[in-house]
Amino acid sequence: MEQRAPRRAPAPLPSLPPRLALPALLALLLAPALRASGPALWPQPLSVKLSPSALHLAPERFLISHGPGSTAGPACSILEEAFRRYYEFIFGFYKWHHGLADIRTGTELKQLLVTVVLDSECHVFPSISSDESYYLVVNGSVAVLKANRVWGALRGLETFSQLIYQDSYGTFTINESNIIDSPRFPHRGILIDTARHYLPVKTILKTLDAMAFNKLNVLHWHIVDDQSFPFQSVTFPELSNKGSYLVSHVYTQHDIHMVTQYARLRGIRVIPEFDTPGHTQSWGKGQKDLLTPCYNGQKKLLGTFGPINPVPDTTYDFLSKFFGEISKVFPDQFIHLGGDEVEFECWASNPEIRNFMMQKGFGTDFKKLQSFYVQKLLEIISTTNKSSVVWQEVFDNGGKLQPGTVIEVWKNENYPEELQHATQAGFPVILAAPWYLDWISYGQDWRKYYQVEPLDFPGTDEQKKLIIGGEACLWGEYVDATNLTPRLWPRASAVGERLWSHRDVKDIYDAYDRLRRHRCRMVRRGIAAEPLFTGYCEHDNKMQQ
């Protein structure tokens, strides 16, 4: 019988050698008192130099504006919107402390000048190759943020906002500083699942806000599955008419445009996943003859269907039209095609499929049949000028994949060996296996996510360059709009730092202090992030109103 943890059982701290345990424990427990003020940067930038010299800011006099010679100007909606947004993030608390935020004697920081050096890319969507590097100097009355592209300027604005804190007098304060920063991996993702439970658009937008606070840049949208088909196709409207939970539980193409544009303004890509040939029971409700009829001996089982039927030409005619539509609705270069957990029993029971396999020389190896299907689907995707992401089974089953197909590794057993094999074959890889956030446990499980090292696998330097990043996955069997945000944050923040910061940034005690305060900052910004452990946020009473 399952046993619950004792109600007051404390979450254990990381184990330490006995002679170090007491000092480290005291340091951790005293951290809130010792570091009550000052910046808490998350994720940790590549290079940070902070001076004890403090500057002060007056909300009514402080400006964020375009720097001289910037290729981005007032017509750059990404930056204009970001200037407004970050001013609110920095000073939105001002009304709660009105009368306490008077400028003390000393230098006043009056302006942040933001300069985009190269072609700004203000009017395009971010991509896997987007430059997110930036350089930030806070010195005297004017701070300077420089970036090659607008995407780096967005990341720099987040860092600048994190540098500002309120001192014991309530004055907005920032230390003189010099920061050089760029991400370690280009793909830093969150997976959400809108098939097991429908997530309102406003919940998805709130997730994008939180991602930007953590410098995560890919929303992997697992939009449909066996349980429901909430994507509203114009070409095949019956897919959602019959496959969604409710007629109201759908994402119109206007909704998707809203999400992708909202994401673009935050430097976030949206990669849709339409998983086939398995996980497709909801597809069959609105598309006749798409799924495989299952048999018991020679008798067809009425109403029982398996994965997509890979034999008839009508299957590929449908897929060609459907993914042609998807390629126009979602602007990103990549489409995730799934390919995981295909159950072969129904295929094996179907006489048409068995005959087809004999003709093709597949024998009884249904992995070859899946590879046949995937190869044809990849060819369809290539005609749309898109690239493909697949789950690791597609690679494991020995299918012929097109160069550049991205393999997502999700099986937690011996995933370093999987990374080795996939990169040895020359494919780019996304790591998800150690970051399945739907597996919850009592205690501070953020630490195990934080302590993962994506490049700890046998392989050459060239192989390790093929690890393009990772994803924190939150599958939706037990998640809807009521608990998505607290279950994601700040646990996903640990993954965010691991994928952004240098691999040497791994001090769990320093991370605890910074993440504790970063979590409070997220809550202050409207993200209902759960606590790391016992304690409080300085403005708990205001955040709960």
Side-chain angles (χ1 to χ4, degrees), residues 260-539:
T260 56
Q261 287 293 337
Y262 195 92
R264 184 181 76 90
L265 291 173
R266 288 150 182 80
I268 297 172
R269 302 160 54 208
V270 179
I271 297 180
E273 181 184 353
F274 290 88
D275 192 358
T276 69
H279 291 279
T280 48
Q281 290 299 299
S282 66
W283 300 52
K285 296 176 182 179
Q287 184 64 22
K288 186 179 179 183
D289 299 327
L290 179 64
L291 303 184
T292 303
C294 305
Y295 283 71
N296 183 4
Q298 297 300 311
K299 185 178 180 181
K300 184 184 291 187
L301 296 174
L302 294 177
T304 304
F305 297 92
I308 284 178
N309 190 337
V311 173
D313 291 340
T314 54
T315 291
Y316 302 103
D317 290 340
F318 162 77
L319 292 171
S320 181
K321 292 175 183 175
F322 180 74
F323 280 102
E325 179 182 7
I326 295 303
S327 69
K328 294 179 176 64
V329 174
F330 290 91
D332 198 76
Q333 173 192 349
F334 287 91
I335 299 174
H336 202 304
L337 304 177
D340 64 316
E341 298 181 318
V342 181
E343 297 178 355
F344 296 145
E345 290 82 359
C346 185
W347 278 355
S349 77
N350 186 290
E352 178 192 19
I353 286 182
R354 291 201 304 270
N355 290 336
F356 179 80
M357 291 183 67
M358 288 181 62
Q359 294 169 13
K360 290 290 185 181
F362 295 163
T364 59
D365 189 347
F366 289 94
K367 291 181 180 179
K368 290 183 178 178
L369 181 61
Q370 180 184 352
S371 296
F372 168 84
Y373 168 88
V374 169
Q375 188 172 342
K376 296 200 70 160
L377 180 56
L378 289 172
E379 290 170 359
I380 288 171
I381 298 302
S382 68
T383 65
T384 68
N385 294 318
K386 297 284 189 177
S387 301
S388 302
V389 186
V390 294
W391 294 111
Q392 70 179 75
E393 288 96 320
V394 175
F395 170 75
D396 294 342
N397 291 348
K400 184 179 179 182
L401 302 180
Q402 296 179 352
T405 301
V406 178
I407 312 298
E408 183 158 9
V409 174
W410 71 273
K411 293 186 177 182
N412 205 27
E413 61 272 14
N414 205 17
Y415 70 80
E417 184 177 332
E418 184 77 16
L419 298 179
Q420 180 190 21
H421 293 332
T423 55
Q424 193 172 39
F427 292 105
V429 172
I430 297 167
L431 177 62
W435 294 316
Y436 264 42
L437 304 190
D438 50 299
W439 286 90
I440 59 174
S441 59
Y442 186 81
Q444 297 187 52
D445 60 356
W446 69 271
R447 296 174 304 179
K448 70 180 180 183
Y449 306 135
Y450 187 80
Q451 291 170 322
V452 170
E453 172 43 56
L455 301 188
D456 273 354
F457 67 92
T460 65
D461 290 343
E462 290 304 310
Q463 283 178 252
K464 295 185 178 185
K465 290 177 183 176
L466 288 170
I467 305 298
I468 62 174
E471 292 184 348
C473 302
L474 189 61
W475 296 97
E477 287 86 352
Y478 305 99
V479 175
D480 66 6
T482 66
N483 64 345
L484 174 82
T485 300
R487 192 160 290 187
L488 261 179
W489 311 105
R491 298 159 79 231
S493 302
V495 183
E497 177 153 293
R498 184 53 52 234
L499 294 173
W500 177 280
S501 302
H502 192 277
R503 70 177 294 166
D504 291 340
V505 177
K506 55 187 178 182
D507 184 327
I508 199 74
Y509 296 101
D510 175 70
Y512 175 86
D513 177 66
R514 288 185 294 110
L515 185 55
R516 175 184 60 82
R517 292 190 286 154
H518 178 57
R519 176 258 169 180
C520 288
R521 178 167 53 227
M522 285 196 287
V523 174
R524 194 166 68 237
R525 293 180 180 184
I527 305 301
E530 68 181 15
L532 273 75
F533 192 41
T534 58
Y536 69 97
C537 291
E538 183 180 354
H539 306 295

Side-chain angles (χ1 to χ4, degrees), residues 193-199 221-253 256 272-276 278-287 290-291 308 318-319 321-323 325-326 330:
D193 172 6
T194 57
R196 277 55 181 252
H197 285 95
Y198 174 82
L199 297 174
W221 190 351
H222 185 88
I223 192 167
V224 302
D225 208 292
D226 283 327
Q227 293 79 9
S228 73
F229 197 103
F231 170 75
Q232 190 175 74
S233 167
V234 173
T235 310
F236 300 98
E238 291 302 287
L239 287 170
S240 61
N241 287 347
K242 295 181 177 178
S244 62
Y245 285 131
L246 297 170
V247 175
S248 60
H249 283 193
V250 298
Y251 301 104
T252 66
Q253 297 196 7
I256 290 167
E273 181 184 353
F274 290 88
D275 192 358
T276 69
H279 291 279
T280 48
Q281 290 299 299
S282 66
W283 300 52
K285 296 176 182 179
Q287 184 64 22
L290 179 64
L291 303 184
I308 284 178
F318 162 77
L319 292 171
K321 292 175 183 175
F322 180 74
F323 280 102
E325 179 182 7
I326 295 303
F330 290 91

Side-chain angles (χ1 to χ4, degrees), residues 146-157:
K146 289 188 176 181
N148 288 330
R149 311 284 184 185
V150 68
W151 319 114
L154 291 176
R155 306 301 173 232
L157 282 166

